[in-house]
Amino acid sequence: FDFSKTNITSEKAAELKMTMTKEFGSIFDLCDFVLMMHIQNPANLQKSLVKVTLKTLGAFLSWIPLGYIFETDLIPKLISNFLDLAQFRVETIKCLTEIASLRGKDQNLGNKADETLIMMFLSFLDKITQIFQGADLSVEYNKIPPRQ
């Protein structure tokens, strides 16, 4: 979906976004189902499926209705259950970064989006502090494969 930022007209992008808004419920439900299945019983789900689900979610975040982000438990779910797992950390951070970039794009949410983003930022910092407490960050950084 990122290709559309440079390859289609803004009118066509708006039309695609409207269509996506109507159809996104099913996509979100599927992503949420996979994430919940992993939370409930990680041994029953392949890690590759969870990683692809996070990548898919990240690709759709700029297209979906913001209520799915700011009026659900998506953000706390990502921070509490996927950020601390090294195999999902990069994709989770990409999702959270995309969410942070959506600030102010929906006036219907009022202060809810701002409050949620502040909570997300504070929760993120708290979780990262827990994960890397006492660790040498330069060593941790060097453990990340070059493609990520």
Side-chain angles (χ1 to χ4, degrees):
F1 286 93
D2 288 335
F3 73 92
S4 66
K5 292 178 182 176
T6 57
N7 292 339
I8 63 174
T9 65
S10 59
E11 184 177 308
K12 186 66 173 172
E15 181 183 326
L16 285 171
K17 191 167 186 170
M18 180 60 76
T19 302
M20 181 62 70
T21 298
K22 294 177 187 173
E23 304 296 328
F24 187 74
S26 300
I27 297 168
F28 182 82
D29 289 344
L30 178 61
C31 290
D32 191 54
F33 176 77
V34 171
L35 297 178
M36 284 305 299
M37 292 302 297
H38 175 75
I39 292 167
Q40 293 170 357
N41 195 349
N44 282 352
L45 217 55
Q46 290 186 4
K47 307 289 186 232
S48 60
L49 177 60
V50 177
K51 191 168 187 170
V52 167
T53 300
L54 289 168
K55 284 182 179 186
T56 301
L57 185 62
F60 278 105
L61 284 170
S62 65
W63 287 80
I64 67 173
L66 295 181
Y68 284 101
I69 299 167
F70 296 109
E71 295 175 342
T72 66
D73 65 344
L74 176 64
I75 295 170
K77 189 181 296 178
L78 290 172
I79 292 172
S80 298
N81 300 290
F82 297 96
L83 190 59
D84 56 344
L85 302 172
Q87 68 265 34
F88 305 132
R89 189 171 298 136
V90 170
E91 295 308 322
T92 302
I93 290 173
K94 287 179 182 179
C95 288
L96 295 171
T97 302
E98 185 63 34
I99 290 169
S101 75
L102 299 174
R103 184 183 176 280
K105 292 187 177 181
D106 188 343
Q107 302 306 320
N108 296 330
L109 293 173
N111 290 335
K112 174 86 171 143
D114 290 338
E115 292 167 6
T116 303
L117 287 172
I118 291 168
M119 178 278 309
M120 179 182 86
F121 180 72
L122 295 173
S123 298
F124 175 83
L125 289 178
D126 184 48
K127 190 66 153 182
I128 289 294
T129 301
Q130 291 172 19
I131 293 168
F132 294 109
Q133 188 171 7
D136 181 349
L137 293 182
S138 64
V139 171
E140 294 299 322
Y141 178 79
N142 289 326
K143 289 180 185 177
I144 300 172
R147 290 182 38 204
Q148 295 183 354

